[in-house]
Amino acid sequence: MPWTKLAADQSACRLDETCQDAGAGRMISYGEAIREAIQQSMELDPQVLVLGEGIDAAGFLYDTTAGLSERYGTRRVIETPIAEAAMTGVVTGAAVAGLRPVLMHMRNDFLLVSADQIVNHIAHWQKIFPCPNGLPLVLRAIVARGWGSGAQHSQSFHAMFAGLDGLRVVMPFTPYDVKGMFLSAVASPDPVLFLEHRWLYGDKAVVPSEPYLVPLDSATVRAIGSDITIVGMSLSNRDVQKAVETLRQEHAISAEWIDLRSIQPLDMKSIIESVQKTGRLLIAENGPVTMGIGAEISAAVTEQCWTCLKSPVKRIGWKGSTVPAGTKLEEQFYPGVREIIDEVKRIATYGK
Amino acid sequence: MPWTKLAADQSACRLDETCQDAGAGRMISYGEAIREAIQQSMELDPQVLVLGEGIDAAGFLYDTTAGLSERYGTRRVIETPIAEAAMTGVVTGAAVAGLRPVLMHMRNDFLLVSADQIVNHIAHWQKIFPCPNGLPLVLRAIVARGWGSGAQHSQSFHAMFAGLDGLRVVMPFTPYDVKGMFLSAVASPDPVLFLEHRWLYGDKAVVPSEPYLVPLDSATVRAIGSDITIVGMSLSNRDVQKAVETLRQEHAISAEWIDLRSIQPLDMKSIIESVQKTGRLLIAENGPVTMGIGAEISAAVTEQCWTCLKSPVKRIGWKGSTVPAGTKLEEQFYPGVREIIDEVKRIATYGK
Amino acid sequence: MQLEQAYRLYESMLTIRLVEETLVQEYPAQQIRTPVHLYVGQEAIAAGISLHLSDSDYVVSNHRSHGHSIAKGLDLGSFFKELYGKSGGCSSGWGGSMHLCDMDKGIAGTSAIVAGGIPIGAGLALKQQYNAEANITVIYFGDGAVDEGVFWETVNFTGLKKLPILFVQEDNGYASQTPSSQRHAYKNILPIVERFGLMTAELDGNDPLAVAATMGELIQKIRMGQGPGFVRCHTFRWYGHVGVEDDTHTGYRNAADVLSWRNRCPIKAMEKHLLVVDPVAASKKMKATEEIIAEKIRCALQSAKEAEYALD
Amino acid sequence: MQLEQAYRLYESMLTIRLVEETLVQEYPAQQIRTPVHLYVGQEAIAAGISLHLSDSDYVVSNHRSHGHSIAKGLDLGSFFKELYGKSGGCSSGWGGSMHLCDMDKGIAGTSAIVAGGIPIGAGLALKQQYNAEANITVIYFGDGAVDEGVFWETVNFTGLKKLPILFVQEDNGYASQTPSSQRHAYKNILPIVERFGLMTAELDGNDPLAVAATMGELIQKIRMGQGPGFVRCHTFRWYGHVGVEDDTHTGYRNAADVLSWRNRCPIKAMEKHLLVVDPVAASKKMKATEEIIAEKIRCALQSAKEAEYALD
Ligand SMILES: Cc1ncc(C[n+]2csc(CCOP(=O)(O)OP(=O)(O)O)c2C)c(N)n1
Ligand SMILES: Cc1ncc(C[n+]2csc(CCOP(=O)(O)OP(=O)(O)O)c2C)c(N)n1
Ligand SMILES: [Mg+2]
Ligand SMILES: [Mg+2]
């Protein structure tokens, strides 16, 4: 099995987090890292195939699938009809039978068309059936934002699918993670909903050229701090990062920044460890606040860190569940660095 | 408009909560109350039509639609193909055009087949389009449990659809509420997901025979108490009710029992008022704990009642998101009165 | 049909029938606590198909899955255990009647969502095609499942990719209690799916010999890569949609129809055939077969009753 | 076709064209901040249909909605304001290019989910049938939307209930950059949907006279309750799938095809026709029409640019 070998190699040479900040090395973008990860997964394992709308057509899903069909043939690179429900069933069946299919969606909004297959089938399959092959499939989907994409093309469904034990959900933020987590998603015996963010595609960082794995179930501390913990996810990390810097420089607030990375399962251990130190928590949702993953984190942290919490867990996120199209409406809709800073200041001075 | 008239009549004669415990009056079951509500809504308003699989066929959706087609004709009582996605779009279009359609599903699990229509269309429609007629549609669906119904026929999707501003979600518990809330759902200009519980169909109570409205956005206090607040929803109220009695009688704990009734919007005001008094909160989810509506309630209450909370908000619910079929597995899966009592005792003695 | 095959077909149908009659007997004791959708009356279809399948061929089934699974070789012990929610059940007690599975036998899974299993079947077939196997996937569904869009999406994808699939529509005239005429804008689905590049056949699903013969030919063609196939099998379920009661009294099916279909019992038809083609031995052989099956069922049932409940 | 009608048809097409050419010009200034899917090249379809519709007839549209909406009478001011995200936009600035609406004009809504609007159209038609109106609903969609199951479910329901619907497939050969042949197991959808009880027609969607004539007849039949209809209109979009660029260089469409379709401009065809049937006045009239439209667009655009941004 190529994937067990990769995992073994990795524990030998220990390519982990620290690596990406090493400075030296090849810089590539988030989008390029995805493309490389897809290509390497196909190279590593002939059982990997990719399917989707527009993956073998001009555009190539923002270039992430360019060149694949020339290299691996249309047997392994399957341009599909616009039939998300059936194609989701198809990858389920293929995974049951032992292939490692990756189904790709240009927008995660389209996942809803296949919600029955995801929720009623994929998320239960391994629990109700003995699955000698596991259920190694990846649903890759892009979260978008802005330019008036509006109600049906700017949603983020990480939280809607976060309550299903049988489906992993991840939201990588960095080029390093997106590559390593994609390879882990393909390697995983469990189905994975792999949510990318369109606005991160241009971000560049050092990414090793060889294949490597980043765990699917662990958050990561991206900045160490002592006054408050801020949890970001996917794009919201970008604002968190800026806020953390400003808070340190201008407000003498030392914030610990956790990039959630995994939505299901939640890495509560990392969050709790941090909150035990800081006593304060803000979750920056990349989505509507209500019923966001922040609700679950808040509830769980409050249960488990009651005595060390100095102020109630707070959440910040979109103004609602329908994203408007107009420019100013969009501006009003999304919170930004400013709002995070203000919220942190309120939390830091809570009760004082 | 028949519905404004009904609302007006009602504010005159004040048929409210208290009425149901009045003792005197006609006893009917939850199932009969639904049937009566459907029939009266059709009688009141010729723009109301009902659609669904099996609604005009032997069985009549557990008898709730029996007799309707004889009375109102197949023009208004539309037996449909097994095509939940299209039929959901059909009721959306019909509501846009000014009818008041009610689409019925024997199991709420089948809603997932139409998730795109619900989430990407219904829940956004009124926000993005001027809707002179509102979007007066009802999706009626039954939550089931037990007898090995298993993974695909025992789910409860109230929480999955609770994060959509443009969709009301209700879960009536009593015969009185199920009738009044059904009539309110049909009267509402907004789309309503109306979730019944199959296990409540036999419950009997006093139900006025005339039409009346119960609000779609308010929780109700079903037992007054001072030591802890317990929020139940739909069937979980049944265990809460028993637990509250036992707690009072055997443990000298005075619990306030709130029946949530409405999942979206949440009646946070009622919950907070209660928690301000009791200082303690347990949510008994009728579904998996993780990403349940209890998470949102917990997060919101903690934010808003921080200073009066004596212990962290706790949640109790199903063991996971895949419901097993086997008898003993089911027993292990669902918490019961015992678990609620134990949890309340832990909460009540928290930190002591 | 060769005699040996005919006996196998008979045995397969009779096994399904006797298993389900056992369920009918045992169900009132309320120890089988899972909704059962009986296959009685429709046995010729799964039996006639499975005659031509090996363990490497897949089947995907729906809520009415007993016959499909048993014909494909599901162990009766693990079947009964599953229905009793016992440890050792084919789905470890998690599935119940509507979620049978045995990957070693090619029983890939069962969805209780109408049409939910259909695209999953296409995925199984995609793997068979991908690996250039000569194996095929059989997808079972009813006249109701074709109402769902995902059925049409799958038919299109199958025709496009020429997947090795046999679509088996068990047309018993009703989806639950609703007749096809109230749900379909068309009378016959076959000329429609033909346009998607599927080979088609229409069959009396209660004629075991016809089923076995036609399915055999079609499956052979599919194996040889000549494309996917779709068979519409007219049949009738004897019992109610769910549960173990005769539901004729509820009135949605006319009593004369019920009777006439009962008179067209596929097992009786097979008995008659065997008596004709094997006049000397048939009677005895059938009796022996029945006894063997009954004994197997007794053991399997017993083992299920005695087994421990599945626990988490 | 009567002369007056011909001029209306011309005006309608030209309005769409000039509006979208305005978008092409204005888009690079980045003040129209919403993804635009241009209809240029396909104008004859919406214009030819809308000729036969009143405000009481509904249309439901998809991502490529400008032409459908403008032909149905959407006010240009509220159109431009919507695209500029301004107050006074037809969807209050919430919708953008992909969510146009004007219930007073029968523009019931627009879904950017492929095929998402199709069943909604059936619901609109259900209400028309329910109230025994003589009005109809037109559902616009592409060759891509028929890939989705919900399309087939809706066709079935429509055929079953004989809803007053005109399904309009704008077959421009591609869904985004993927040709039909890579997505459809069948060559022609018409004989398939016919089996569901739909009247069908196949059209050169770039021939405005043919479109107007055929649609007129079919719409009349649908109004009179003769059943639903389905028209496949062959056409071609001149610009890229989204945005205002020519995308021929990306190679998915062959340059010769693009050119040949551009040479079959529906507006040019209409001009030619008017010059033949009204040789004396046409030239002048067309010029006047163009000026009026251009002036209307100037005003509308100006009002949009000057309007306040929509705020929450
Ligand atoms: C998506 C979905 N909708 C509705 C149901 C409820 N349901 C269960 S079986 C059934 C009828 C199926 O009829 P058919 O496909 O003809 O199979 P049969 O029962 O006749 O064998 C229905 C509507 C379901 N399980 N899933
Ligand atoms: C459910 C869904 N899947 C995918 C998309 C992405 N998408 C937008 S337009 C389009 C192609 C539509 O093609 P067609 O129906 O032929 O219309 P055309 O653009 O050619 O007018 C696709 C795939 C979407 N919007 N919705
Ligand atoms: Mg049937
Ligand atoms: Mg197209």
Side-chain angles (χ1 to χ4, degrees), chain D residues 143 170 172 174-175:
Chain D
D143 51 291
E170 301 182 304
N172 57 17
Y174 294 83

Side-chain angles (χ1 to χ4, degrees), chain B residues 46 48-49 75-76 78-79 81 83 85-87 89-90 92-94 96-97 99 116-117 120-121 125 127-130 132, chain D residues 58 90-91 94 99-101 103 108-111 113 116-117 119-120 122-124 126-127 130 150 153-154 156-157 160-161:
Chain B
V48 173
L49 50 161
R75 209 174 120 259
R76 295 184 65 193
I78 303 177
E79 177 71 22
M87 296 319 303
V90 164
T92 306
V96 165
L99 296 180
D116 165 59
Q117 286 295 322
N120 287 331
H121 293 86
W125 204 267
K127 196 83 194 182
I128 58 179
F129 297 127
Chain D
Y58 292 121
C90 61
S91 303
W94 274 78
H99 299 296
L100 304 177
C101 185
M103 279 298 276
T110 311
S111 175
I113 295 294
I120 297 176
L124 296 163
L126 183 68
K127 176 260 182 179
Y130 186 78
V150 77
E153 293 178 2
T154 307
N156 182 49
F157 186 69
L160 191 64
K161 298 294 174 187

Side-chain angles (χ1 to χ4, degrees), chain A residues 54 56-60 79, chain D residues 38 42 64 143 172-183 236-243 245-258:
Chain A
D56 194 23
F60 299 99
E79 177 71 21
Chain D
L38 300 183
Q42 307 188 185
R64 201 170 299 290
D143 51 291
N172 57 17
Y174 294 83
S176 305
Q177 293 76 26
T178 309
S180 299
S181 59
Q182 258 183 290
R183 296 178 292 103
F236 203 78
R237 63 170 155 71
W238 290 12
Y239 288 91
H241 169 67
V242 61
E245 311 288 333
D246 177 343
D247 68 352
T248 315
H249 67 277
T250 64
Y252 72 95
R253 304 194 293 188
N254 132 356
D257 281 355
V258 176

